[in-house]
Amino acid sequence: MPGRAGQAARERNAAAQRRRRERLRQAQREAEALRLAAERAAERGEAAADRPAQDGADGAVDNSDGEQAEAEREAARERIRERQRQRRAAMADAEREAEHLLDRERQRQRRADLPEEEREAERQQDGERQRQRRADLPEEERAARRAADAAAAARRRRAARERGNRSACDAEAVLSGRQQVAVQDTGQRNINCEHCGALRWPSERATLCCQAGKVRLEPVPAPPALLRRLWTEDDLLARTFREHSRRLNTALSLASMMTREVRPADGGYAPSVVIQGRLYHRLGPLEAGDGHEPSFAQIYVNDPACADPATEAAMRLGHVPLPRATSPAVRQRLLTLLEDLQLLLREVNPYVQDFILASELPEDQVDQQQLVISAEARPADQHRRRYNPAEGFREVAVLIGDEPVHQDIVLRRRAGADGPALQTINETHRAFEALHYVLLLPFGTDGWQPGLRHAVPNARGVYGQLTLTQYYAYRLQERPGMDDTLLRGARLLQEYVCMAFARVETQRLLWAARNQQAIRADLYQRLEDALPADALAEQREGEQRLGRRIILPASFTGGLPHSHILLIVRQEDRPRTADDVDAVISAELPDPTQSDQARRLHAIVVRSMVHRPCNTMRPAPACIINGRCDKGFPKPYAAVTEWRDDCPYIYKGPDRQMVRADALVGLDDEIAAYQDLRSIGASEACWRLFEEPISRQQPTVVTLQVHLPNQQLVYFEPGGEQQAIEAARRTQLTAWLEYTRGQIDMPAQLRRLFGVILLFCAPAAPMQLFERHLHDMAEDFVRRHAGLPDDLQATLVLLQLEEQLQQAGKQLDEFGLPVPTAEQRALAADLEHADAERRHLPRPIQEEMEHDDAELHDQLAAQLPVLLPHGSRAAVAGACLRRSPLWRHFVVAQLRTNMRARMAGGEDGAELEAFADWLLQLGDGRLPGPEDGFVQLPPELTMDADVTAVIDWVFDGLADHHDDHQWMASRAVLAPRNTRVDAINAAVTALFPGEE
């Protein structure tokens, strides 16, 4: 098998590679055809452009005009490049993708032709260049690129999943073999745990069995030879034993299991054991009451020596319901098994022996001495209660001078007149399993109990408590060389794991029930969660119900439902013809001759999805009457869907089970209601015992507890109310709101929402709506420009709304909104330009500017002068700081020495110091000059040259040093205006060697 699987995988990989190469070749052909067409078009255009120049130049050839010819050729090449750019811009997405694939393939081919050392060096250089480019970016841009890369990766993963889903939905591609479906192979269970020796599958986590050595239990003893043979042999009696193991165990058990089992509505075969509601193990008195037939442990006591094994076996079998199709031969084999097994349990089971011995004691001695099965395996001498071992007993002890605790099992001779007939065994008792599962634990082996600890200490040196989940996860493992009777239990094993998880969940629910008073839920201003759920509960018996409600915490995870449903929303969408059915339901057998994949799929469908003849099932389902299925199965094969208008049973309603929860438990006991209505299946029980995830969420979604101001939930312990109030002032919601104010552009979202309302919701009064929410939509503008007047706020918001509406072919005036004037647009453009300049500053400077603006505006707005955008020179001078009434409180500290010039040495030291002195004179206003406010620069600071000469002087040798970063960083041309800076940058960039 592994060889064939490997060969098939290699064939699939080869086929996939062939398909990829074919797609690539097709893309190359298309891209090459496009390239040739573009070149021919460019040649035709170049010839048309050159022909007039040639006609005008005939007979007048000037060999000295070479520069002009070269310029014309360069212009022609530029026209070709421009046409190529236009062609690429006009290309469809598929064409661009094809050309992109072609470029990538050329790059891969070029790298493939390089030696390995050069390829590795090139990869390292590419990585270094990429890291350097990212390092040179501002932090905001790096964060934006990281977010964009993550989003692109998510889109690629989503697209890959969608392609896979679309391919899988293409039945023809799957059945023909063009779309290969990956085989899910779990591998072999051949991994042994290094700590406990358990066998694991490759995909199972290493801590599943023993928590990496923390759990270490004594192995369960191997069963007696008779039981071992029945669990392992393949003769008729052994097969009957395994098929009816649950019924036989129930007939032989000492304690009964009380629960509701979910069975098919038609009484047919259930492939898995499913229990519903609570689960109890109960033990009755040693002797049956008058007029009652003995059952369970009473049967052992009724005939201690088993003098008549046939009668006892018949009595046991009478308490167990058998399928109605059980043949007399099977019934006889079950009686034979019961006779042998009841004798075996009398010999080896200590609880059976102790119960028989207790029944032989005088009645008054049993009642006075309080014979108990202690919840603890071996009570210590220092224990506050005194246990005396009773003579002849192995598990039963005598309790003297104290009362038993609720975990202990007290043996009674007969049921008291005022007491319960049955005693519920506590879930934490060590004999909880042994008293019922006598065929799995024939020697009465102790189960889990609260005193069990881990085998190794934790980091603090403490031996942690062994949990129920860890106990069962350890027991439900196969270990070579150890007894595996438990895992051979078939349906009895299914019942066992349902019981195990019910115990685990009961312990979790018990903790929640016992901590209702220690942990209370309270609203920030008033108690709420402990109040009645409805008005009826408020009035019931006039009780003061504050704090009496029993709540199931939201953190408790129960079972998840599973269903396959088809929802029909509209009446006209109901299927009414065979074609309608075929559009939503597919029920056909794949053609096994179409491909190897179709052959394998055909085998899976026939084996797993085809209804077998009912009369071949064992046990026989309820539909078999007189040897035939009353539903008509098996039905003849139909090549097409058959639709019958006279069919009375087209739409089947759901199977319903009416449950009245308030009749079972109190209205306010959520834990009891959950226990009574839950369902536990064997498969889910194993999954939960192994602590496998029951749900997966992508992306992560966290429930945000929404509340009004000062109405948040507060969790506190009694006496800690004040500390809880102080700690709960900042909640998850308030923290989220604080975070989103800085991370999410909420005003921009509001503006987009307002545009959507205008376009699609037809508001009755758009202008009133605009004025009402203007300040909310302009909040980000005001935050960036303190003191922004209302009319300019409205202009900025209207301009963005206008852009959104124009994309939909609408204008502002169509909705009764004002259209900004040219002057308002100019003011808004100036502000946007200032914002753009500010965004190019390093992030620390931006934060400092924002901080200063906010502080000055919030704290000193009433005293400091206000800036006047677009004011006159006189107005600006009048609003400066020196005209403020606060100026008299300032102390002017003048700088007398330029420390940078003073520290400068070498041949330029004197020149730098003179320049520094000139700057001080300039700042103090001591330089002579015209009265118009301009300053005359000294000759040594000026150059009588145009911009080209300045560039040549600063960047002399650019052709030889353009790739030298230090050389480039040491040169710069400063200009007072951005327009001049852009022109200088363009001129310097044009001097770089190479093509664009």
Side-chain angles (χ1 to χ4, degrees):
M1 286 297 292
R4 291 196 295 271
Q7 179 63 26
R10 287 191 292 273
E11 291 177 356
R12 289 194 299 270
N13 291 335
Q17 291 177 0
R18 288 193 297 271
R19 289 193 297 272
R20 284 196 294 270
R21 285 196 295 268
E22 180 58 32
R23 288 196 299 268
L24 181 59
R25 284 194 292 268
Q26 180 64 25
Q28 290 175 343
R29 288 193 293 268
E30 294 177 357
E32 186 66 19
L34 290 172
R35 185 183 64 81
L36 293 175
E39 289 180 355
R40 286 194 294 270
E43 291 173 357
R44 289 193 297 270
E46 183 178 357
D50 291 344
R51 191 173 300 114
Q54 293 176 359
D55 294 341
D58 286 345
V61 179
D62 187 358
N63 294 330
S64 64
D65 203 15
E67 294 182 358
Q68 183 178 357
E70 179 61 28
E72 293 176 354
R73 286 193 294 273
E74 179 62 27
R77 286 193 292 269
E78 179 61 29
R79 289 195 297 271
I80 294 174
R81 287 194 292 268
E82 179 62 26
R83 281 192 292 270
Q84 290 178 347
R85 285 192 292 269
Q86 294 176 357
R87 178 184 62 81
R88 289 186 178 181
M91 287 171 64
D93 292 340
E95 296 172 343
R96 282 197 295 269
E97 180 65 20
E99 185 162 334
H100 180 62
L101 289 173
L102 181 60
D103 292 340
R104 290 177 57 185
E105 180 59 26
R106 288 173 179 168
Q107 185 71 7
R108 283 195 294 268
Q109 187 60 41
R110 184 187 66 80
R111 289 189 175 181
D113 295 337
L114 294 175
E116 180 60 31
E117 295 80 2
E118 295 184 16
R119 282 201 301 272
E120 182 61 27
E122 188 170 330
R123 280 193 294 267
Q124 293 179 358
Q125 291 175 0
D126 291 343
E128 182 61 31
R129 281 195 294 268
Q130 185 71 10
R131 286 190 293 270
Q132 186 62 38
R133 281 197 298 270
R134 291 186 176 180
D136 293 340
L137 294 174
E139 179 59 29
E140 280 191 349
E141 191 169 349
R142 284 204 298 271
R145 289 203 175 189
R146 285 194 294 268
D149 292 343
R155 286 194 300 271
R156 288 194 296 271
R157 290 192 297 268
R158 187 166 55 251
R161 287 195 300 268
E162 291 175 354
R163 286 195 300 269
N165 294 338
R166 288 193 298 268
S167 300
C169 293
D170 187 354
E172 180 61 30
V174 171
L175 295 177
S176 65
R178 295 196 311 272
Q179 173 63 37
Q180 293 293 318
V181 179
V183 177
Q184 298 295 330
D185 188 0
T186 59
Q188 297 182 354
R189 191 163 62 108
N190 55 5
I191 300 177
N192 287 91
C193 175
E194 59 178 322
H195 303 284
C196 68
L199 290 173
R200 290 189 288 105
W201 301 96
S203 59
E204 288 181 324
R205 66 183 190 278
T207 58
L208 181 144
C209 50
C210 64
Q211 298 292 311
K214 289 183 180 180
V215 181
R216 194 178 304 157
L217 301 175
E218 291 294 329
V220 177
L226 172 61
L227 265 180
R228 182 64 182 175
R229 187 184 68 79
L230 293 174
W231 284 120
T232 58
E233 297 296 333
D234 195 36
D235 56 77
L236 183 60
L237 193 64
R239 290 197 301 271
T240 304
F241 169 79
R242 291 193 293 273
E243 182 179 351
H244 297 273
S245 58
R246 283 190 71 198
R247 299 182 178 92
L248 293 171
N249 184 82
T250 300
L252 294 164
S253 63
L254 297 165
S256 61
M257 185 177 75
M258 309 293 292
T259 189
R260 294 192 300 272
E261 184 172 353
V262 180
R263 299 181 182 276
D266 59 357
Y269 175 74
S272 180
V273 175
V274 179
I275 63 174
Q276 186 180 61
R278 308 191 193 197
L279 183 144
Y280 302 101
H281 283 183
R282 286 178 171 171
L283 185 67
L286 297 177
E287 295 181 3
D290 296 339
H292 293 81
E293 186 175 308
S295 61
F296 299 103
Q298 297 168 354
I299 299 178
Y300 292 102
V301 174
N302 185 64
D303 185 6
C306 196
D308 189 358
T311 302
E312 181 175 326
M315 184 184 301
R316 294 183 183 279
L317 196 61
H319 291 294
V320 179
L322 295 176
R324 60 184 177 182
T326 303
S327 64
V330 172
R331 184 182 296 271
Q332 184 57 46
R333 288 196 295 271
L334 291 176
L335 290 171
T336 301
L337 288 168
L338 286 173
E339 292 180 22
D340 296 338
L341 292 172
Q342 63 193 12
L343 290 172
L344 174 67
L345 291 175
R346 281 180 166 84
E347 296 174 1
V348 301
N349 192 288
Y351 292 105
V352 173
Q353 296 169 357
D354 284 1
F355 282 20
I356 292 175
L357 184 58
S359 69
E360 296 173 348
L361 295 176
E363 184 173 350
D364 57 348
Q365 184 177 351
V366 174
D367 295 337
Q368 292 176 3
Q369 291 184 349
Q370 295 193 93
L371 300 179
V372 300
I373 303 176
S374 171
E376 301 178 2
R378 295 290 182 267
D381 294 339
Q382 297 85 356
H383 201 279
R384 65 180 180 86
R385 294 180 290 145
R386 297 286 298 172
Y387 289 90
N388 287 345
E391 184 178 356
F393 289 97
R394 298 174 57 184
E395 297 292 343
V396 174
V398 178
L399 179 62
I400 299 177
D402 207 338
E403 291 296 324
V405 296
H406 70 280
Q407 292 96 338
D408 290 340
I409 300 174
V410 181
L411 299 185
R412 294 170 298 160
R413 191 64 170 267
R414 292 187 179 89
D418 55 349
L422 297 176
Q423 180 180 183
T424 300
I425 303 174
N426 190 274
E427 292 88 353
T428 63
H429 200 285
R430 60 188 177 91
F432 185 86
E433 301 170 13
L435 291 175
H436 180 71
Y437 295 102
V438 293
L439 295 183
L440 297 176
L441 304 169
F443 295 110
T445 306
D446 286 344
W448 179 87
Q449 51 188 306
L452 294 178
R453 299 286 174 178
H454 287 160
V456 294
N458 57 24
R460 300 189 304 273
V462 178
Y463 289 85
Q465 184 176 7
L466 179 66
T467 66
L468 258 174
T469 304
Q470 294 171 349
Y471 174 85
Y472 285 116
Y474 185 92
R475 286 293 189 214
L476 294 172
Q477 303 294 331
E478 181 181 359
R479 295 175 174 87
M482 295 186 182
D483 183 69
D484 60 351
T485 298
L486 179 61
L487 303 180
R488 294 177 178 271
R491 294 184 69 81
L492 184 58
L493 171 63
Q494 293 186 18
E495 178 189 308
Y496 179 86
V497 296
C498 289
M499 174 278 304
F501 182 67
R503 290 185 72 187
V504 171
E505 199 166 57
T506 299
Q507 292 294 309
R508 296 171 58 199
L509 293 170
L510 185 63
W511 183 93
R514 289 178 176 175
N515 286 271
Q516 291 287 309
Q517 294 182 354
I519 301 177
R520 302 175 183 178
D522 185 24
L523 279 180
Y524 198 58
Q525 289 184 336
R526 60 189 176 88
L527 294 177
E528 172 73 13
D529 204 36
L531 292 178
D534 49 38
L536 176 63
E538 289 181 359
Q539 301 173 1
R540 191 174 61 187
E541 299 179 5
E543 295 177 348
Q544 177 63 25
R545 303 186 48 78
L546 189 64
R548 294 190 56 185
R549 187 178 182 184
I550 300 178
I551 302 169
L552 183 63
S555 58
F556 182 87
T557 305
L560 297 181
H562 177 80
S563 63
H564 296 266
I565 58 176
L566 175 64
L567 298 178
I568 301 175
V569 180
R570 299 183 302 178
Q571 181 69 23
E572 57 268 24
D573 290 334
R574 288 184 177 274
R576 292 178 172 82
T577 65
D579 292 338
D580 294 341
V581 175
D582 291 340
V584 294
I585 300 175
S586 175
E588 59 184 56
L589 293 176
D591 183 1
T593 63
Q594 192 169 358
S595 67
D596 181 66
Q597 187 163 268
R599 178 186 58 78
R600 290 187 286 114
L601 184 59
H602 178 272
I604 294 173
V605 172
V606 170
R607 181 176 66 251
S608 307
M609 302 179 66
V610 175
H611 195 294
R612 293 180 296 148
C614 306
N615 54 10
T616 63
M617 299 181 183
R618 292 293 182 271
C623 63
I624 295 298
I625 300 177
N626 297 326
R628 303 190 63 178
C629 174
D630 62 354
K631 305 296 190 301
F633 281 97
K635 296 180 180 295
Y637 174 77
V640 296
T641 301
E642 180 182 355
W643 181 269
R644 292 171 52 191
D645 294 327
D646 59 345
C647 180
Y649 188 76
I650 299 177
Y651 300 109
K652 179 184 182 298
D655 295 329
R656 295 179 175 88
Q657 181 177 6
M658 299 300 295
V659 178
R660 185 174 178 84
D662 58 352
L664 302 174
V665 296
L667 283 174
D668 295 330
D669 194 341
E670 296 179 1
I671 293 177
Y674 170 79
Q675 285 184 297
D676 284 328
L677 301 178
R678 70 178 177 188
S679 294
I680 302 173
S683 300
E684 180 194 355
C686 287
W687 191 262
R688 301 291 295 276
L689 290 172
F690 294 149
E691 296 183 290
E692 297 290 349
I694 61 172
S695 63
R696 183 174 291 107
Q697 203 170 55
Q698 180 67 29
T700 302
V701 177
V702 178
T703 302
L704 189 65
Q705 298 295 333
V706 180
H707 59 82
L708 295 174
N710 291 335
Q711 294 286 315
Q712 56 264 41
L713 279 172
V714 180
Y715 295 93
F716 62 91
E717 295 184 359
E721 291 84 354
Q722 185 61 39
Q723 294 85 344
I725 290 175
E726 295 298 327
R729 295 189 186 277
R730 191 169 186 267
T731 67
Q732 187 183 45
L733 176 62
T734 59
W736 180 80
L737 291 174
E738 293 173 5
Y739 174 79
T740 53
R741 287 191 188 103
Q743 300 293 326
I744 300 177
D745 194 356
M746 193 63 70
Q749 300 287 347
L750 291 176
R751 292 192 292 269
R752 281 192 284 271
L753 175 61
F754 191 87
V756 171
I757 292 174
L758 292 177
L759 290 171
F760 303 107
C761 299
M767 189 60 194
Q768 295 180 11
L769 191 66
F770 176 82
E771 292 174 347
R772 187 184 311 162
H773 299 286
L774 171 61
H775 294 295
D776 293 328
M777 293 189 289
E779 182 185 349
D780 52 343
F781 299 135
V782 176
R783 191 168 56 244
R784 291 197 297 268
H785 306 284
L788 194 67
D790 291 348
D791 58 342
L792 197 50
Q793 294 181 32
T795 298
L796 294 172
V797 174
L798 286 171
L799 288 174
Q800 292 211 356
L801 289 175
E802 182 182 56
E803 182 180 356
Q804 183 180 357
L805 294 176
Q806 287 177 349
Q807 293 177 356
K810 300 291 184 180
Q811 298 295 333
L812 288 170
D813 54 3
E814 297 182 39
F815 301 94
L817 298 178
V819 179
T821 64
E823 183 180 358
Q824 291 173 332
R825 293 176 187 271
L827 292 176
D830 290 342
L831 285 178
E832 291 298 322
H833 181 72
D835 285 344
E837 292 293 329
R838 190 172 184 172
R839 286 193 295 269
H840 283 85
L841 294 175
R843 184 58 188 169
I845 297 179
Q846 294 185 42
E847 293 176 353
E848 189 66 25
M849 293 175 66
E850 294 171 0
H851 172 77
D852 291 344
D853 289 347
E855 291 293 324
L856 291 174
H857 183 270
D858 293 341
Q859 299 178 8
L860 303 174
Q863 301 181 33
L864 290 180
V866 180
L867 294 180
L868 301 176
H870 305 281
S872 65
R873 181 171 180 179
V876 172
C880 71
L881 187 60
R882 297 190 66 171
R883 301 295 178 90
S884 170
L886 298 175
W887 182 251
R888 57 190 178 88
H889 300 291
F890 282 74
V891 176
V892 180
Q894 297 183 351
L895 299 178
R896 301 295 183 182
T897 305
N898 191 317
M899 297 303 297
R900 182 171 296 178
R902 183 175 180 181
M903 297 298 294
E907 59 182 9
D908 297 333
E911 185 177 353
L912 288 176
E913 188 171 357
F915 177 67
D917 292 339
W918 181 85
L919 285 179
L920 287 176
Q921 295 179 38
L922 175 64
D924 294 338
R926 295 184 283 110
L927 289 177
E931 297 297 330
D932 57 359
F934 288 90
V935 175
Q936 185 69 37
L937 296 177
E940 59 270 16
L941 296 181
T942 62
M943 176 184 290
D944 187 11
D946 57 7
V947 175
T948 304
V950 173
I951 294 174
D952 292 340
W953 179 73
V954 174
F955 295 99
D956 185 26
L958 179 64
D960 299 327
H961 300 88
H962 66 278
D963 55 351
D964 188 345
H965 298 287
Q966 294 183 354
W967 187 88
M968 292 294 299
S970 64
R971 287 158 171 77
V973 177
L974 302 181
R977 296 184 179 274
N978 290 331
T979 55
R980 180 55 62 91
V981 170
D982 293 339
I984 294 174
N985 285 338
V988 176
T989 304
L991 297 176
F992 277 76
E995 298 182 359
E996 290 188 15

